Amino acid sequence: MLERAPQEDDPSERAHGWWVPHQHSEWQHVGGLGEWVQQQGDLPDPRKMLDVTSPGDQSRWIPLRGTFGWEEPTSAADDTHYMQRCRLALHVQAYVVRSEHLEAVRRWCAAQEPTRWSMPEPVNVHEAFHREFPWAFAWGHEYPSCDEWVAALDQELPHPVFPATAQFSLGVSGDCSGAATRIAVPSPWLCRRLALRHGGADGAFTDAGGATVVVDPSVTKGGSQAVLIRADQLRAFLARGDRGILWEARWLKQVIGGWNDLDAYGSMDVCGIYTMDESGGFSGSAKSEHTPPSAS
């Protein structure tokens, strides 16, 4: 019997799991919260966030999507509505790009200011049944955008791209084909290209032999949502040569809590744009931008 995945409200619980690429514990802000927001020395290289290892078989996995968050620890006696504390977030999203356009798109994205432009988000599907993804008529008819190239003109991109993932949310009508209420999935195009099918566990997609190729481990284990693909399968896909993958890895530092100073310290965005090379490593660059506090 399938069981509903645990849903934690505590950010410290969501930040654990073998697929979480970083465990943050540096919360010192001796120079004040404003100085903490602006410093970047405590942030790992975004490229290191694009590679995780399963502790079971030591297999290498690459995130196609991931949303992770950490908050400065508090005690049971603290009122978090009034107490200001540091928060760090990491968002990873991969995009499919035609190989001949990959480097041009990477250079263009890397040149943009992090807070003034962002890549398109994956479609969020509400009504189609999860276990009918992606072959059912409802997916192609009601949600064509999850399978279409995002027009360059619409996003100011030099060439079209599309997110390598989609997101399924349980609709109000109910869905008995899967247990979790939110599941991140590979895009329909990627499912067809890799000949993926649903595995025995929700959130897992396998090849014809039953081996898991893509998985959102949070569906069965709880924690931060992520879409992971086996590194060897990804490299085989890229070796075909007609499509490439572009990753956006974005850090956000800010101070939360407190009734009167929600934006008293501004925020720091660090956005990296990367591609995978033939050796399986990542190349690219990151750019940072500090947003000053709003005038009160």
Side-chain angles (χ1 to χ4, degrees), residues 73-80 83:
T74 58
S75 70
D78 294 325
D79 187 334
T80 55
M83 180 181 179

Side-chain angles (χ1 to χ4, degrees), residues 225-242:
Q225 189 181 79
V227 179
L228 307 177
I229 183 171
R230 284 188 65 103
D232 55 351
Q233 294 282 349
L234 176 61
R235 292 180 66 181
F237 162 75
L238 295 176
R240 300 180 187 182
D242 60 334

Side-chain angles (χ1 to χ4, degrees), residues 18 52-61 230:
W18 65 263
V52 294
T53 301
S54 171
D57 58 4
Q58 297 300 304
S59 56
R60 183 187 177 204
W61 295 79
R230 284 188 65 103

